[in-house]
Amino acid sequence: MVVTDKYSAGIAAMVGDKVPSYQGFNRAVEIRRPIGSLIKPFVYATALSQGDKYTLATPLKDEPITLTNSHGNTWSPQNVNKQFSGEVPLMTAFKKSMNVPTVNLGMAIGTDAVETTLAKSGWDEEIPDYPSMLLGAVNGSPLMVAQVYQTLADNGRYRQLNAVTHVLDADNQPLLASQSSASQALPVASDFLVQHAMTQVVASGTAAKLG
């Protein structure tokens, strides 16, 4: 578990094992597992950054799609319910975490554009450049996910997460330290739309029970 403070870009808490005092493998930092649908907001953020092409109301194809790689292998993503509705608004695809519209959107804007969005947001490891990355076939740690979601929460501003607030000298006085630099990873307007869409995930989407 990693808990961040979006106002200071600080790590408020980190638990690396079910036994908090365990001094070995820190799962919050060192583990690498596919992040799954946690990647989807960054697919939509990439599209919404192109405000002249995409809005929350833009219709997305929800039709069967089969992609073939250079070796002739095919991939046909499915929605969780194994059904297709033909077309859905971008907002619906987002809040219902629909796989096929997300892939159709991701292929339209380009996987490389999504990779760039993630990198600007603080993802600091290589991202595989194949379509399944659009549904989270990307290995990462809880800390890495917390970093990019910190950027979403901070109105699209990237600041590296930190766990040290002050270093004191022998007289318990804080030493001068440089502040971590910040950069606008996502346009403020598109980040606002993503944040709004994420509230709808809880209001009437896949996490409606939390609402």
Side-chain angles (χ1 to χ4, degrees):
M1 180 184 73
V2 179
V3 180
T4 69
D5 175 2
K6 76 170 185 177
Y7 300 103
S8 67
I11 298 174
M14 179 185 292
V15 180
D17 191 82
K18 64 181 180 181
V19 179
S21 60
Y22 179 62
Q23 298 297 314
F25 188 72
N26 185 341
R27 289 170 174 79
V29 178
E30 299 173 89
I31 202 168
R32 296 292 183 273
R33 286 182 177 172
I35 66 173
S37 291
L38 291 172
I39 202 172
K40 288 178 181 175
F42 298 92
V43 178
Y44 288 96
T46 304
L48 291 169
S49 296
Q50 305 175 23
D52 58 330
K53 295 182 180 179
Y54 298 99
T55 71
L56 293 177
T58 299
L60 302 179
K61 289 183 179 180
D62 184 24
E63 302 172 346
I65 179 175
T66 297
L67 302 170
T68 305
N69 67 13
S70 58
H71 301 290
N73 298 318
T74 61
W75 179 57
S76 301
Q78 299 285 324
N79 293 317
V80 173
N81 61 7
K82 306 296 183 182
Q83 298 178 356
F84 301 95
S85 52
E87 191 175 84
V88 294
L90 187 148
M91 172 66 92
T92 299
F94 190 124
K95 71 179 184 178
K96 297 294 186 181
S97 192
M98 299 175 71
N99 291 335
V100 175
T102 302
V103 171
N104 279 314
L105 176 63
M107 294 306 294
I109 59 178
T111 56
D112 56 339
V114 178
E115 293 167 26
T116 298
T117 295
L118 280 164
K120 288 182 177 179
S121 299
W123 194 272
D124 60 358
E125 293 190 5
E126 184 177 357
I127 300 170
D129 187 17
Y130 40 75
S132 58
M133 62 83 69
L134 297 166
L135 299 183
V138 178
N139 290 328
S141 68
L143 179 60
M144 293 166 67
V145 172
Q147 175 67 77
V148 291
Y149 270 80
Q150 163 70 25
T151 300
L152 281 181
D154 197 14
N155 299 322
R157 181 174 58 158
Y158 165 70
R159 290 182 290 169
Q160 184 175 359
L161 290 172
N162 64 84
V164 177
T165 56
H166 295 89
V167 177
L168 306 181
D169 63 18
D171 299 318
N172 286 329
Q173 297 301 309
L175 298 172
L176 291 176
S178 60
Q179 298 294 319
S180 59
S181 60
S183 61
Q184 196 65 40
L186 303 170
V188 174
S190 57
D191 187 84
F192 174 84
L193 293 174
V194 170
Q195 288 195 41
H196 172 68
M198 291 175 73
T199 68
Q200 299 311 298
V201 174
V202 175
S204 58
T206 54
K209 290 183 178 180
L210 295 177

